[in-house]
Amino acid sequence: MSLIAPTVSGPVDSLNRVEDQDLNSALMDIPKASRGGRAYLSLSDAGQAAGEVAVDGPSSSKVPSLAVTDRPLNAYAAASMTPDAGGLTPQLTARTSMSNQTSLDYRNKQLALLGPLRPQPTKIWKRKFVKLMVVGDSGLGKTTLISALLSKPGEQLQVHDGTNTPLGQFLKDPDSLITRVTWKDEQDKVVWVFRVQDTPGYGDDQDISRHIGMIVQHINAQNTKWLDMESARDRCIDLIDVEDPRVDVCLYCLPPHRLRQNDVRYMAELSKHVPIIPVIMKADTMTIHEAQRFRQEVVNRLQNPALSGIRGKIEVFRFSPQTLERAGLPSSAAMSIPPFVVIASNDINQAALQDEPPTYWPERSYKWGTAEAFNPDHSDLLFLRSLLMAEALEEVSVDKRQRYEEWRQRHLATPFLAGLRRRLLRFALATALPAAAVVFAAQNGFDKQRMRDSVKDGAQRLKERVIGKKAADAQSAADARAESAAAAALREAEAAIMAAEQAQQAALQELQKGRQQQQPAQKKGWF
Ligand code: GDP
């Protein structure tokens, strides 16, 4: 048997190095006799004592007399080496002015510190941010869905101030289309800040790639914002307190009944930048059979998009099976993959609001019956809400951080390529295009206005292509440079036109002169 003294007699850091087991056996080994009648703390005692009240000395209680003392821990540990040093003598009332409850808490913490488990650190409140983006065609019910996802009894969220989601507003101030809710996780001391970014539908816009470019640009711009915050000279010490603008996940809203090429293409492009969760809207317009068939059709097209220019399957966000199970989803294989089939509504069942506790129950009433948004037999909205706002929150956050790291590496590795592209553009605009213009002029006879128009047209098209690509990369600075390069090139092209004009004038004069010289010779019958 060994006494505790040789094992824990050092300063605190040496105490910390003692492994659980060593400390445990060392404490257990203290002979009762050597305790001199005082109750020294052993781990078995500590276990029994947890939660028990003992403010008197050891004689009145079997609870170990671990005293509340204002001595530092290492002094306390040293004092406990010899029974007579008085280190563990109860001195609660004499030494402290704490209330009974506070001193009890303090004492329990001390006991836990020496118990069989490692101590539980005190948690402090922190904020965690999640941003969901909702994308899809106009009129599908995106705004209604956001409200149904986030609202609670007595609080019908006004998603944003417009009845529609205008493109101009999104381009100018996307944050004005964000709906934000916060709530506290008391257990983990986390304040969740959950934001949903609404987006304008692509509506009648035939050029879907322009709409995709705009959304992708927005996603990348949020990443760039975060990168700028990370690398700012006077950044916050801890970025955990800063509102994170990055998009975590995207709900892609599909119309019921028919899967359009545009939607397949949109999902394929978008999924390269952010994980998507396909959601089939307005489930109440489909019969059970139609809904099943359409869900399967979407699953098949995600596996095999069968579209030109799109290789491989379309990646969607993969919830882990455990997460799906926690959210109450049936664990059948078909259900483990989105798409979710949902109903949303702004009409709330008033009777459910009077229930105890009040329940938020959006529904759609028809003459023949009622479709209920959160009824699992009617719609998957309850599962979606459970996943997005509870069970998969951490999973989604982790995924965002991994994806951002990959984006960051790519982004920081591209300046050379971006520079090369800029140089190529400048060369094309300043040299190749004017040269082509001169050749064109020489071949087709010179028409100044036509030339000017075709040079302008060519430059504009080239500029649009390059700037369009740039915009997708959210390089607004590069955009400005490309624009000024284009303007300079235009000026140079104009100068080249003038030069060509002068050259043509000179050539015409030469031709005229030659003709004049030929005429007398012909008269003389030389040819
Ligand atoms: P957004 O343009 O995609 O934001 O669509 P809105 O949220 O403005 O909704 C357009 C219309 O669809 C509104 O009249 C909604 O009431 C309706 N709507 C929304 N969700 C559903 C649904 O699940 N089923 C049906 N039948 N209509 C819906």
Side-chain angles (χ1 to χ4, degrees), residues 29-49:
D29 280 343
I30 301 170
K32 283 261 190 278
S34 72
R35 301 182 191 183
R38 296 167 194 255
Y40 284 93
L41 177 69
S42 79
L43 294 182
S44 54
D45 290 339
Q48 286 166 17

Side-chain angles (χ1 to χ4, degrees), residues 129 153 155:
F129 299 93
E155 176 212 69

Side-chain angles (χ1 to χ4, degrees), residues 34-146:
S34 72
R35 301 182 191 183
R38 296 167 194 255
Y40 284 93
L41 177 69
S42 79
L43 294 182
S44 54
D45 290 339
Q48 286 166 17
E52 289 182 48
V53 183
V55 290
D56 293 322
S59 53
S60 64
S61 166
K62 68 185 174 78
V63 178
S65 56
L66 185 57
V68 172
T69 169
D70 42 18
R71 261 183 284 174
L73 181 60
N74 50 356
Y76 171 84
S80 72
M81 297 311 108
T82 50
D84 295 333
L88 292 180
T89 312
Q91 297 160 62
L92 193 64
T93 43
R95 288 233 182 142
T96 178
S97 57
M98 291 177 187
S99 72
N100 276 2
Q101 183 54 45
T102 318
S103 61
L104 175 65
D105 290 347
Y106 187 79
R107 186 174 156 282
N108 282 340
K109 277 185 188 165
Q110 285 185 317
L111 288 173
L113 216 57
L114 301 177
L117 300 174
R118 287 290 187 201
Q120 295 293 304
T122 301
K123 289 173 186 159
I124 53 169
W125 283 101
K126 53 184 174 292
R127 290 194 301 166
K128 287 194 180 178
F129 299 93
V130 176
K131 197 196 253 182
L132 179 74
M133 192 180 207
V134 181
V135 176
D137 202 357
S138 328
L140 278 183
K142 297 188 294 297
T143 313
T144 316
L145 174 71
I146 296 171

Side-chain angles (χ1 to χ4, degrees), residues 136-145 160 163-165 198-199 201 281-285 342-346 364 366:
D137 202 357
S138 328
L140 278 183
K142 297 188 294 297
T143 313
T144 316
L145 174 71
H160 47 76
T163 45
N164 58 359
T165 314
D198 200 358
T199 61
M281 311 290 280
K282 303 193 179 181
D284 54 314
T285 64
V342 303
I343 296 170
S345 177
N346 288 321
R364 306 188 73 84
Y366 301 103

